[in-house]
Amino acid sequence: MTLGRGRPILAFDVGGTDIKSALFDADGRAVEVERTPTPLAGADTPAALARRLAEIGSDLSARYPEVRPQAAGVVVPGIVDPERGIGIYASNLGWRDAPIRELAGSALGLPVHFDHDVRAAAWAEHLLGGARAFDDVVVMVIGTGIAGSLIVDGKLHPAGGYAGEIGHSPVADGPMCPCGARGCLETVASAGAIARRYAELAGVVPDGAREVLAHAAGGDPVAWQVLDGAIDALVLALAQLTAVLAPEAIVIGGGLSRAGDALFEPLRTRLDERLSFHRRPLLLPAELGEDAGLLGAALIARERPDAAA
Amino acid sequence: MTLGRGRPILAFDVGGTDIKSALFDADGRAVEVERTPTPLAGADTPAALARRLAEIGSDLSARYPEVRPQAAGVVVPGIVDPERGIGIYASNLGWRDAPIRELAGSALGLPVHFDHDVRAAAWAEHLLGGARAFDDVVVMVIGTGIAGSLIVDGKLHPAGGYAGEIGHSPVADGPMCPCGARGCLETVASAGAIARRYAELAGVVPDGAREVLAHAAGGDPVAWQVLDGAIDALVLALAQLTAVLAPEAIVIGGGLSRAGDALFEPLRTRLDERLSFHRRPLLLPAELGEDAGLLGAALIARERPDAAA
């Protein structure tokens, strides 16, 4: 995957466990992609993260002196305000209102473009992947949880960092979600919820949601029951998105999306049944896989104007 | 209510029963507002409507020769594609894929700006009413049904005419909606649904939803049960909007909104309880009342560039 020609960029996709880093050259090729543990240091995590990013950047510059990055893209999970450059909240990184853009910019000595990991992934899918043909798109990532991002009229719509929280949209009377709300979509329809629910009902811990899908395909009634409930909840959420936002396409990525037709076929059929006059969105698999966030970080850093020094 | 200075405009808000018409002068004042029956003529309704608009326009021009409208704004209910100028569908006007903009433009001899009645009303609330301070707003109109419109980043977001159908977003397992889908918000939470449900349970037909609210306030347990269910469904829909779109404000108009605090207080309290980390939207009453659609039609016609002849 190449970004096309543009300025060289350092890109970082910061997760709760690892930082994925890449140096993109002027041809848009990643000359190196690497993983480094995320430094978790309690209240000091934002500063420790900034130092780690600077170490990675120095190391890459030493090894590839011919590629001189002109800006960096940094994306993180949680609630992220890209305009103010603030990580408002991230449960697995433990910060609140952390000025990540400023810290990373000082440490790296580069203009930093800061955003949310799933918004960046959605932007990459919009420019390079499954959502290329559309200007009104919802991107959902179904894994341990369910994250989402909105592209409206060809632009990301962060709404101060709070838009796209499809996983924390209520669709049921229960169960309680760790976020504190009740009946969030991700408590019944994430890959994590599917595996957890199967373990509760079957008394056997599956190797992830895909094992539950395999059991369901093989005729296991408990697996089918769990999967059926998850798909119904996803369809309800997709129907609500369709009624309110009417996106042209909904792109679904994350671990569960690799189930392919076993997921997409029942989603399409049941969504169609649930709707009436509504315009059906195309349901498409994400194309860029795990590196979508990293690619998005690079794309964002390439195209957004640097702040005045 | 004045629009402020701008070009003189003929504005029409076409409903299933009446056409509201107004002639706005260069000061933005309506020199005349009148109601005329909507001509319902089966397959000929679009053409009959265009002729009626031309008659109203001629009459107003004859009576106010000093006000020379330079464009017309025409808004209609249903599914409306403003970009193509097409009324895609309107159940109470009986048309499908009707080229209303072209028909009205030919009949009136003016450039016509065509849109959806509730989108126009939302635009008026955004420029002149309850949504003035915000760029990310959802406007809901709760009456016989429930209609809605989205303002995203300071612009109306029609999505080909299909966005904002909050009344036809599924929130429950039932009942069936006349639209053909199941559990649409408006089947349980519109003013029409509240009155209907009370009549079913109490065996007495109320004088609209406001009588049910009055009974509930007076301690009638059946009225309270009906209202409680409607408010729960509204809160669920508002929570979903908040999770996904994160609007700064949700403006609620229509007959039910005139209940004031009897509606807004429980909505605010229960919405807050239903959410966790989400950014709370302000819940605001619409300010412009019944003329919002007419004002919006005039505003749209004033500000959008006329198509090349």
Side-chain angles (χ1 to χ4, degrees):
Chain A
M1 181 60 60
T2 160
L3 309 177
R5 284 195 61 81
R7 58 184 188 169
I9 293 291
L10 261 176
F12 301 100
D13 180 358
V14 179
T17 311
D18 286 337
I19 301 166
K20 277 187 277 187
S21 321
L23 178 62
F24 288 90
D25 67 15
D27 290 326
R29 286 180 311 114
V31 297
E32 174 93 40
V33 178
E34 53 185 43
R35 279 178 187 266
T36 326
T38 305
L40 296 175
D44 193 41
T45 295
L49 172 64
R51 286 192 298 273
R52 181 65 50 86
L53 299 186
E55 288 162 15
I56 298 168
S58 297
D59 175 59
L60 285 168
S61 289
R63 289 193 284 138
Y64 301 94
E66 72 283 11
V67 181
R68 300 202 169 188
Q70 290 168 44
V74 178
V75 302
V76 304
I79 306 289
V80 175
D81 185 338
E83 289 179 23
R84 295 188 300 136
I86 303 287
I88 296 175
Y89 174 67
S91 60
N92 51 7
L93 293 163
W95 62 49
R96 281 188 186 276
D97 296 319
I100 306 293
R101 181 172 66 200
E102 190 186 329
L103 291 167
S106 297
L108 286 162
L110 287 172
V112 166
H113 299 267
F114 177 64
D115 214 319
H116 182 247
D117 52 3
V118 175
R119 273 200 300 278
W123 193 239
E125 290 286 346
H126 178 55
L127 292 185
L128 306 170
R132 271 195 309 284
F134 307 103
D135 276 345
D136 288 321
V137 183
V138 174
V139 176
M140 291 175 72
V141 179
I142 309 179
T144 313
I146 297 180
S149 183
L150 313 183
I151 292 170
V152 178
D153 209 11
K155 292 192 296 189
L156 286 171
H157 181 62
Y162 291 93
E165 291 286 353
I166 300 159
H168 297 283
S169 179
V171 295
D173 276 335
M176 282 303 296
C177 181
C179 84
R182 180 166 47 85
C184 291
L185 178 65
E186 73 173 42
T187 65
V188 286
S190 65
I194 290 170
R196 195 164 56 242
R197 185 91 181 111
Y198 182 81
E200 283 167 15
L201 293 180
V204 185
V205 176
D207 182 19
R210 271 184 291 169
E211 189 181 319
V212 182
L213 265 82
H215 286 325
D220 175 344
V222 174
W224 176 247
Q225 179 193 336
V226 170
L227 191 62
D228 190 53
I231 290 175
D232 269 352
L234 282 172
V235 165
L236 184 60
L238 295 176
Q240 291 158 350
L241 280 171
T242 301
V244 172
L245 260 176
E248 299 163 282
I250 297 174
V251 173
I252 302 178
L256 198 65
S257 72
R258 289 196 282 274
D261 283 350
L263 176 71
F264 282 89
E265 285 297 324
L267 283 183
R268 286 191 190 107
T269 304
R270 294 192 206 178
L271 178 61
D272 183 57
E273 288 166 2
R274 185 97 227 209
L275 299 173
S276 63
F277 64 87
H278 314 73
R279 181 173 72 172
R280 270 67 176 163
L282 286 172
L283 300 187
L284 302 171
E287 290 182 5
L288 301 180
E290 293 200 332
D291 288 337
L294 194 61
L295 291 165
L299 288 166
I300 284 170
R302 271 198 161 182
E303 68 198 19
R304 290 192 190 159
D306 297 335
Chain B
M1 181 60 62
T2 160
L3 311 177
R5 284 195 61 81
R7 59 185 187 166
I9 293 290
L10 260 176
F12 301 99
D13 181 358
V14 179
T17 311
D18 285 336
I19 302 167
K20 276 186 277 187
S21 321
L23 178 62
F24 288 89
D25 67 15
D27 290 326
R29 287 180 310 113
V31 297
E32 174 93 40
V33 178
E34 54 185 42
R35 282 179 184 262
T36 326
T38 304
L40 297 174
D44 192 41
T45 295
L49 171 64
R51 286 192 298 273
R52 180 66 49 88
L53 299 186
E55 289 162 14
I56 298 168
S58 297
D59 175 58
L60 285 167
S61 290
R63 288 192 286 136
Y64 301 95
E66 71 284 10
V67 181
R68 298 202 172 188
Q70 291 169 42
V74 178
V75 301
V76 305
I79 307 289
V80 175
D81 185 338
E83 290 179 23
R84 296 188 301 136
I86 303 287
I88 296 176
Y89 175 67
S91 61
N92 51 6
L93 292 164
W95 60 51
R96 283 188 185 274
D97 295 319
I100 306 294
R101 181 173 63 200
E102 190 186 327
L103 291 168
S106 297
L108 286 161
L110 286 172
V112 166
H113 298 268
F114 177 64
D115 213 319
H116 183 247
D117 52 2
V118 175
R119 273 202 300 278
W123 193 239
E125 289 287 345
H126 178 55
L127 292 186
L128 305 171
R132 270 194 311 282
F134 308 103
D135 276 346
D136 289 322
V137 184
V138 174
V139 176
M140 291 174 72
V141 178
I142 308 178
T144 313
I146 297 180
S149 183
L150 313 183
I151 292 170
V152 178
D153 209 11
K155 290 192 297 191
L156 286 171
H157 181 62
Y162 290 93
E165 290 287 353
I166 300 159
H168 297 284
S169 180
V171 295
D173 277 337
M176 284 302 297
C177 181
C179 83
R182 182 165 46 86
C184 291
L185 178 64
E186 74 173 41
T187 65
V188 285
S190 65
I194 290 170
R196 197 164 52 241
R197 185 93 180 108
Y198 183 81
E200 282 167 17
L201 293 181
V204 185
V205 176
D207 182 19
R210 272 184 290 168
E211 189 180 318
V212 182
L213 266 83
H215 286 325
D220 175 343
V222 173
W224 176 247
Q225 178 193 336
V226 170
L227 191 62
D228 190 53
I231 289 175
D232 270 351
L234 282 172
V235 165
L236 184 61
L238 295 176
Q240 291 158 351
L241 279 172
T242 301
V244 172
L245 261 176
E248 299 163 282
I250 297 174
V251 173
I252 302 177
L256 198 64
S257 73
R258 287 196 282 274
D261 283 349
L263 176 72
F264 282 88
E265 285 298 323
L267 283 182
R268 287 190 189 107
T269 305
R270 295 193 206 178
L271 179 61
D272 184 58
E273 288 165 1
R274 186 95 227 210
L275 299 172
S276 63
F277 63 87
H278 314 73
R279 181 173 72 172
R280 271 66 176 163
L282 286 171
L283 300 187
L284 302 172
E287 290 182 5
L288 301 181
E290 294 201 331
D291 288 337
L294 194 60
L295 291 165
L299 288 165
I300 283 169
R302 271 199 163 180
E303 67 198 20
R304 290 192 188 158
D306 297 336

